[in-house]
Amino acid sequence: MPKVESKGLDAIVVGAGFSGLYQLHCLRDRLGLSALVLEAGAGVGGTWYWNRYPGARCDSESHGYCYSFSKELFEGWEWSERYPAQAEILRYLNYVADRLDLRRDIRLDARVSSARYDEPANLWHVTTEDGATFSARYLITAVGCLSTANIPEIPGLASFAGQWVHTGQWPHEGVDFSGKCVGVIGTGSTGIQAIPVIAQTAEHLTVFQRTANYSVPAQNAPLTPDFQRYVRENHTAIRDATRSTGNGQPFAIEDRSVFDVTPEQRQELYEAAWQKGGLQFRATFRDLLMDRAANETASDFIKAKIRQIVKDPATADNLADIDHPYAAKRPPIDTDYFETFNRPNVSLVDVRATPIEAITPSGLRTRDGREYPLDIIVFATGFDAMTGPLLRMNIVGRDGLTLAGAWRGGPRNYLGLQVAGFPNLFTITGPGSPSVLTNMQVAIEQHVEWITDCIAHMRAHDIARIEARPESMDRWVQSVNEAAHATLLPHTPHSWYLGANIPGKPRVFMPYAGGMVRYRDICGEIARKGYEGFALSR
């Protein structure tokens, strides 16, 4: 029988990253509830604990990618770079855990293996892989959207005599590429960050590209003392900026359309945005994700930049052979990504033309019969996004309904927060919320605060259970689809936004594309109407 570790908890939170740390603080220190965080890792940090691959850093600017709920926390930390690296973000999260005294209610090395709702007792029973069980009225998932590594099923992987790693499960002792022949599979955001760094020490790096990708230079740099002072002195203004923009960033999308300006002006604006770098490039015009012809102007600009940067014409053509609109997939930013292909020790293989056939004991073989000798294989193949982290917990609701069964045809929920048949289960940044289409930190704070207010309302009114109504889920799924189809986002069939990187996964556009401001207003209005669309019972 499993060992019962705790029965008297008000809430269990799964995950000790940005979401879980803030949710624990809100439940324990604002509401006075007994709460416990179960964390699979040996330390806090969530995504930033696991993703230690070379070049790992945030693609939101540091002054916007941090907690804004506390002026004291905000002013007590000083970022060193425009785009902070993994190690600095992890130090920040440890700083938060210490400042808020959170560690005493976090259980590390506690990966959840199952969660089952007990209707007569109105409790969630949660079991970890070591056999311990915990019970609480509320179960809140803070597992992140990108935390379940996708390792493709390539024949022969088990026979490989060298070392292979996934960027999302990077060894904490690191990987030494010195003098090694390395293969990187994948050129999404992670690969684009890792490839330039790996190339610096590898004897030879072969990049296996299936889908060519856009990327804009990050133009990352140390923060100046003047900017650091500005950040310290403008907490409220920065917080208000991130909460008033559709993408949750501390900058606004320009209020102009692509064809409001002349071609010459447009070229100058794109060039200025390229030199400034970062995600602000996509904020140059308001209609880049709404109009295909408008988008093509940005797409053509970036493709021309690739051909200017990459010296070998054949390699440049492969890198610029991009088959989707700009920013219809996650838009990466980089440091010397395209420049890396000018190095003599780097080569590019187009695996759309010659797919990977097998991994051999000594390397990798493509369908044309060519073999690539490799000492190390790096899978930069992304994640089973959004639904994967939730489904692997084996969540079972009322009457034996599994979350996997409820989502067999794709994720259905209300506001990305709750699912019918799973009372008192809340999913922070779940599918159906803005999440990955916005600055994650802003989305996290909004969800945590909404859940906290909801639980406070329940306790104040003696409400024992809350869950989404089926008809509310139907309406919300329709709203998510309508918001997506008002953009170019669903028109990229191989996007992980649609689950297309996972064989057999339902092809459903998962995040809410209506913008963070609109979503916040919807959630607020629903709460003001007594949690309209939810079933509340005593």
Side-chain angles (χ1 to χ4, degrees):
M1 294 290 292
K3 179 183 178 183
V4 177
E5 294 284 346
S6 178
K7 296 178 67 175
L9 294 168
D10 292 311
I12 294 170
V13 180
V14 184
F18 269 105
S19 302
L21 295 180
Y22 186 32
Q23 187 68 79
L24 172 60
H25 172 64
C26 286
L27 294 174
R28 190 192 71 184
D29 302 328
R30 294 185 183 176
L31 300 187
L33 303 185
S34 59
L36 177 68
V37 174
L38 299 176
E39 166 55 48
V44 303
T47 292
W48 301 107
Y49 174 85
W50 297 104
N51 285 263
R52 298 166 180 250
Y53 60 86
R57 68 175 64 245
C58 187
D59 58 6
S60 291
E61 295 186 51
S62 55
H63 65 292
Y65 192 76
C66 52
Y67 292 116
S68 67
F69 68 87
S70 165
K71 188 172 186 286
E72 292 71 28
L73 273 183
F74 189 87
E75 293 177 348
W77 181 265
E78 187 170 85
W79 294 103
S80 68
E81 293 183 278
R82 181 183 182 189
Y83 294 101
Q86 175 269 336
E88 185 170 16
I89 300 172
L90 188 59
R91 288 195 300 273
Y92 170 74
L93 288 168
N94 276 275
Y95 150 80
V96 171
D98 291 334
R99 282 287 299 265
L100 299 179
D101 188 25
L102 299 176
R103 296 185 194 276
R104 59 188 166 92
D105 292 305
I106 300 172
R107 180 170 176 141
L108 301 174
D109 295 309
R111 183 179 294 279
V112 170
S113 58
S114 67
R116 179 177 292 273
Y117 179 65
D118 177 351
E119 186 169 15
N122 189 30
L123 291 173
W124 280 95
H125 302 301
V126 179
T127 303
T128 55
E129 285 185 349
D130 62 2
T133 63
F134 306 83
S135 299
R137 172 166 290 191
Y138 308 106
L139 175 60
I140 304 169
T141 63
V143 292
C145 301
L146 302 171
S147 59
T148 301
N150 170 39
I151 300 170
E153 295 182 4
I154 301 174
L157 179 58
S159 72
F160 183 56
Q163 179 183 11
W164 68 267
V165 290
H166 188 283
T167 50
Q169 299 174 340
W170 203 259
H172 285 202
E173 67 274 14
V175 179
D176 184 6
F177 297 104
S178 301
K180 304 292 187 181
C181 291
V182 182
V184 173
I185 300 174
T187 54
S189 296
T190 300
I192 284 172
Q193 286 186 336
I195 285 164
V197 183
I198 294 173
Q200 292 172 12
T201 56
E203 179 179 328
H204 190 85
L205 171 62
T206 305
V207 176
F208 297 91
Q209 172 189 276
R210 182 181 63 180
T211 306
N213 216 337
Y214 301 97
S215 189
V216 171
Q219 307 293 13
N220 188 43
L223 296 178
T224 66
D226 284 346
F227 189 80
Q228 289 171 326
R229 187 181 311 109
Y230 161 80
V231 171
R232 284 195 305 273
E233 295 173 355
N234 288 275
H235 162 261
T236 301
I238 292 168
R239 181 197 62 198
D240 291 348
T242 61
R243 294 189 175 198
S244 64
T245 57
N247 57 16
Q249 300 289 350
F251 56 81
I253 295 174
E254 295 293 340
D255 188 22
R256 62 184 171 222
S257 296
V258 163
F259 299 109
D260 288 343
V261 300
T262 67
E264 294 76 20
Q265 292 170 326
R266 190 183 310 127
Q267 185 73 13
E268 290 177 3
L269 289 167
Y270 281 142
E271 185 62 40
W274 182 271
Q275 296 305 322
K276 185 170 186 178
L279 293 178
Q280 262 184 279
F281 184 90
R282 64 179 176 177
T284 308
F285 297 100
R286 63 171 178 256
D287 54 345
L288 288 182
L289 267 178
M290 304 296 176
D291 180 84
R292 189 63 181 254
N295 189 281
E296 286 176 358
T297 66
S299 301
D300 289 346
F301 178 88
I302 297 173
K303 291 175 183 178
K305 283 291 187 181
I306 295 170
R307 291 189 167 93
Q308 290 173 14
I309 293 168
V310 180
K311 296 176 182 177
D312 177 64
T315 301
D317 285 345
N318 277 334
L319 290 167
D321 186 19
I322 305 171
D323 64 357
H324 57 277
Y326 169 64
K329 294 176 69 173
R330 182 178 177 180
I333 61 176
D334 71 89
T335 299
D336 295 331
Y337 174 64
F338 295 115
E339 289 85 349
T340 296
F341 291 94
N342 292 329
R343 295 177 63 104
N345 68 326
V346 176
S347 56
L348 179 70
V349 177
D350 179 2
V351 296
R352 186 165 49 182
T354 56
I356 297 171
E357 186 174 70
I359 292 173
T360 67
S362 59
L364 184 152
R365 184 174 68 248
T366 51
R367 189 173 293 172
D368 59 358
R370 182 169 178 182
E371 297 213 16
Y372 297 86
L374 300 172
D375 301 305
I376 302 173
I377 298 175
V378 176
F379 289 101
T381 46
F383 302 88
D384 184 355
M386 304 194 74
T387 57
L390 294 167
L391 295 179
R392 75 175 178 182
M393 287 192 291
N394 300 307
I395 298 173
V396 183
R398 182 189 296 112
D399 300 325
L401 176 65
T402 66
L403 188 61
W407 285 359
R408 187 170 290 110
R412 295 178 66 255
N413 60 24
Y414 187 34
L415 304 176
L417 280 163
Q418 277 213 313
V419 184
F422 298 83
N424 295 347
L425 169 67
F426 297 92
T427 56
I428 300 175
T429 64
S433 70
S435 61
V436 295
L437 297 182
T438 188
N439 178 356
M440 284 297 302
Q441 184 46 38
V442 174
I444 285 167
E445 287 197 5
Q446 185 267 333
H447 260 196
V448 168
E449 290 162 5
W450 191 96
I451 292 167
T452 302
D453 290 344
C454 178
I455 291 175
H457 173 86
M458 292 173 67
R459 293 175 66 81
H461 295 85
D462 295 322
I463 296 167
R465 298 174 177 84
I466 184 171
E467 66 179 287
R469 296 183 183 276
E471 61 271 22
S472 302
M473 296 198 305
D474 292 340
R475 288 194 298 270
W476 185 247
V477 168
Q478 182 179 351
S479 295
V480 171
N481 288 333
E482 288 173 354
H485 285 284
T487 73
L488 301 175
L489 288 165
H491 303 294
T492 303
H494 43 66
S495 169
W496 60 257
Y497 293 154
L498 290 157
N501 61 323
I502 306 296
K505 187 169 181 174
R507 299 297 184 260
V508 175
F509 191 84
M510 292 182 284
Y512 175 72
M516 194 65 229
V517 174
R518 173 63 179 149
Y519 177 80
R520 185 189 297 274
D521 289 345
I522 291 170
C523 290
E525 182 66 15
I526 286 169
R528 284 190 291 275
K529 291 182 176 179
Y531 295 91
E532 184 179 60
F534 292 92
L536 293 84
S537 61
R538 289 182 170 81

